[in-house]
Amino acid sequence: ASYSMCNPADAYHAHFSMLCSLASSLYYVVSQHGDNVGGMTMVLCGETGMGKSFLQNAMQSVWQSPESMSGSSTFNALPKLASIARHLLCAVDDLTMIENEKHKQLYQFVLTYPQGREKSRADSRNALHKGGSWKNLICITSNLDIGGIIRENDNQGGADARILEMFIRHRNRD
């Protein structure tokens, strides 16, 4: 028997991901009623060829052309991407090339994303620049176990509770 994203037994992760995409715009609505909801990090993990990027494109197509909403970026660019998306799904495809020295940056990103805003920064003249803000879901695809990387760098505990990680894999059918 073959794998099919249209078969409910195979595609529960696809159905759930589409619902998360639809719910992304509700973060803003919920935050207007007193709840401090900044953002949620969703990670689609799995081997190459499992359909992670396809699923991410489907999630984005709910809102607009996937090409205009996603791309590869550095960690420093992720908050800017999120603030551009504002209240819509933000997508980063193929976060695979993470050197060991970048693991701490990924950990910091996961910790701060739910706050919904970047840190303010001062320039060389000591002028303060406010960072961007967002109220949305960021969806990252990767071949790596992002949750495992987060747990390795989590000295305080709780960082892995700030991500929703789904492993996309084929079911074995004998």
Side-chain angles (χ1 to χ4, degrees):
S2 64
Y3 171 83
S4 169
M5 283 191 120
C6 298
N7 180 350
D10 292 332
Y12 62 90
H13 54 273
H15 300 158
F16 184 74
S17 297
M18 291 301 292
L19 291 172
C20 287
S21 175
L22 291 168
S24 182
S25 65
L26 297 177
Y27 285 83
Y28 175 75
V29 175
V30 169
S31 70
Q32 297 305 301
H33 295 285
D35 291 333
N36 187 16
V37 179
M40 177 74 180
T41 304
M42 178 179 194
V43 181
L44 302 175
C45 296
E47 296 174 15
T48 301
M50 293 289 113
K52 299 178 302 287
S53 297
F54 174 81
L55 180 53
Q56 188 180 55
N57 283 339
M59 292 170 67
Q60 292 173 286
S61 71
V62 170
W63 302 109
Q64 65 180 0
S65 168
E67 292 81 26
S68 65
M69 295 176 68
S70 67
S72 296
S73 349
T74 64
F75 284 114
N76 293 341
L78 291 179
K80 289 291 180 206
L81 282 175
S83 62
I84 289 168
R86 299 277 301 164
H87 310 309
L88 299 178
L89 175 73
C90 180
V92 178
D93 191 25
D94 201 18
L95 188 65
T96 300
M97 301 302 290
I98 304 176
E99 302 87 17
N100 285 336
E101 63 270 8
K102 300 285 186 185
H103 288 189
K104 287 257 188 248
Q105 280 183 287
L106 176 61
Y107 169 73
Q108 283 301 113
F109 174 77
V110 167
L111 279 180
T112 58
Y113 196 77
Q115 295 171 6
R117 64 187 175 284
E118 289 182 272
K119 292 180 181 177
S120 297
R121 303 191 188 279
D123 63 17
S124 60
R125 296 183 319 251
N126 216 21
L128 189 63
H129 298 279
K130 267 189 108 166
S133 65
W134 55 85
K135 305 256 185 231
N136 64 4
L137 173 76
I138 187 167
C139 179
I140 299 169
T141 63
S142 180
N143 294 350
L144 302 174
D145 176 9
I146 300 294
I149 292 170
I150 298 301
R151 284 184 290 281
E152 286 173 12
N153 290 277
D154 191 3
N155 301 333
Q156 301 168 338
D160 62 339
R162 296 179 186 220
I163 63 171
L164 173 61
E165 186 175 37
M166 293 192 344
F167 289 90
I168 311 296
R169 54 174 70 104
H170 290 216
R171 288 188 322 144
N172 291 332
R173 295 185 186 173
D174 297 322

